[in-house]
Amino acid sequence: MGMTTSDVHGRDLRYFLAVAEELHFTRAAERLYVSQPALSKQIRALERQLGAPLFDRDRRGVALTPVGTALLPHARAALAAWEEGREAVRRAREAADGTLVVGMSTSPGRGGLLPAIRSRFTEAHPGARLKLRQVAWDDPTAGLAEGGSDVAFVWLPLAGADRFRWVVVATEPRLVALPAAHPLAARESLDFADLLDEPFLALPDNVPELRDHWLALDARGGRPPVIGAEIGGVDETYEALVGGLGVCLVAAGNAPLLAREGVVVRPVRGLTPSHLVLAWRADDTRPLVRDYARAAAELRPREA
């Protein structure tokens, strides 16, 4: 009797994938938040359905059988397709509800930028809901790339720029934040040349374009930066500054986030400005997205 696809559920494939990737039932069970006996039972049931063992289990551990190896890419593809399906459903539901998800890595602040865009946007879409979403610094697209955000406030340069469109909402000088006890903190302003040998706080290296921008690679004349520490958020950055681990560049509009006790922010000569943009996916032509972008563009400040 042939097996129908309805016999195998997404959960079975998820369990199979966890064991195939961990090659260890206990670790796979921990990853899935299920008990190890329940996981083993489920895998045995799947093997019965498929009519062949998926794993060799012996004292040395767990290994995929040829049948398990054959199933692996298809299990991955099926689960990825299901995830895409769930994402499409989420987007369709939010479109029906008129919800727009606005991603950001730090609050844009900047003299009421968000409320000003909101009031213009809701004139065109009085029933729409705006949902603000904070995204960690290790995603330079603030959720756009993986689809969790519909529009996002991000910094240029944007990785994979051809996939996105944007409007500039703020053009600001890059300042430097220093520990208050730093010898250079006594000066009113600095030349970037004064900072070349200082240890810098750097963004994670999985965001190379932005990391390079905030290390001002374009102004170093080929001299590699000294990295004092990696930073992944505002509080972490503030703690690293107070702890004397390094200095860091900051856009003028974000300076108030760091200029607290023990940290000073100073102007720097010899640097190009930074650009905060509102971005969206190039293939996203929904009216909600278009009109939020238009509202942001209408508020665009004159170039300083």
Side-chain angles (χ1 to χ4, degrees):
M1 198 169 78
M3 187 192 77
T4 65
T5 46
S6 61
D7 295 336
V8 176
H9 297 287
R11 186 185 60 180
D12 298 328
L13 293 180
R14 254 204 336 277
Y15 283 15
F16 162 70
L17 205 54
V19 180
E21 286 173 353
E22 300 290 344
L23 292 177
H24 194 285
F25 274 85
T26 308
R27 278 201 302 270
E30 283 168 4
R31 175 171 136 183
L32 294 162
Y33 301 107
V34 298
S35 74
Q36 198 249 315
L39 174 60
S40 295
K41 186 178 163 193
Q42 203 68 34
I43 294 288
R44 279 197 302 275
L46 178 60
E47 288 176 323
R48 272 200 308 277
Q49 273 176 297
L50 297 173
L54 298 168
F55 297 102
D56 285 323
R57 310 158 177 77
D58 62 24
R59 282 194 307 280
R60 284 194 310 281
V62 178
L64 279 164
T65 63
V67 172
T69 303
L71 178 60
L72 188 56
H74 301 290
R76 282 208 176 103
L79 287 171
W82 173 236
E83 272 310 305
E84 275 177 32
R86 284 218 323 228
E87 188 56 38
V89 166
R90 183 193 69 75
R91 281 204 293 267
R93 271 179 46 197
E94 291 190 339
D97 297 344
T99 298
L100 191 76
V101 182
V102 182
M104 60 194 70
S105 50
T106 45
S107 170
R110 291 167 178 78
L113 182 68
L114 279 172
I117 295 175
R118 174 191 289 266
S119 68
R120 281 174 183 246
F121 172 73
T122 49
E123 276 173 31
H125 298 277
R129 280 178 58 238
L130 290 175
K131 203 159 101 190
L132 302 182
R133 176 172 178 243
Q134 284 266 299
V135 181
W137 286 5
D138 59 3
D139 177 2
T141 73
L144 278 186
E146 42 82 12
S149 304
D150 298 311
V151 295
F153 290 95
V154 296
W155 293 98
L156 294 184
L158 195 52
D162 52 330
R163 296 170 53 201
F164 306 107
R165 300 279 177 274
W166 62 80
V167 293
V168 176
V169 293
T171 297
E172 298 173 349
R174 285 182 279 179
L175 313 178
V176 67
L178 311 135
H182 195 288
L184 292 173
R187 300 200 202 165
E188 285 301 299
S189 68
L190 304 167
D191 285 303
F192 188 64
D194 302 330
L195 297 167
L196 283 174
D197 297 322
E198 293 292 325
F200 268 67
L201 306 179
L203 287 171
D205 54 14
N206 65 328
V207 291
E209 294 89 352
L210 272 189
R211 179 182 168 110
D212 290 354
H213 175 71
W214 293 108
L215 292 171
L217 241 62
D218 58 341
R220 290 181 179 270
R223 289 174 65 177
V226 181
I227 307 297
E230 280 205 351
I231 46 172
V234 173
D235 291 334
E236 210 179 306
T237 305
Y238 174 73
E239 295 299 337
L241 286 163
V242 172
L245 299 182
V247 305
C248 77
L249 298 181
V250 56
N254 282 350
L257 300 173
L258 296 177
R260 303 181 243 160
E261 191 185 350
V263 172
V264 298
V265 176
R266 297 284 181 259
V268 186
R269 288 178 294 274
L271 291 179
T272 55
S274 56
H275 301 286
L276 180 68
V277 303
L278 176 85
W280 60 96
R281 287 180 294 280
D283 60 3
D284 193 344
T285 55
R286 290 173 296 158
L288 282 185
V289 170
R290 186 189 61 222
D291 292 341
Y292 193 87
R294 183 179 297 150
E298 286 169 0
L299 290 169
R300 189 185 343 207
R302 313 271 169 278
E303 294 288 312

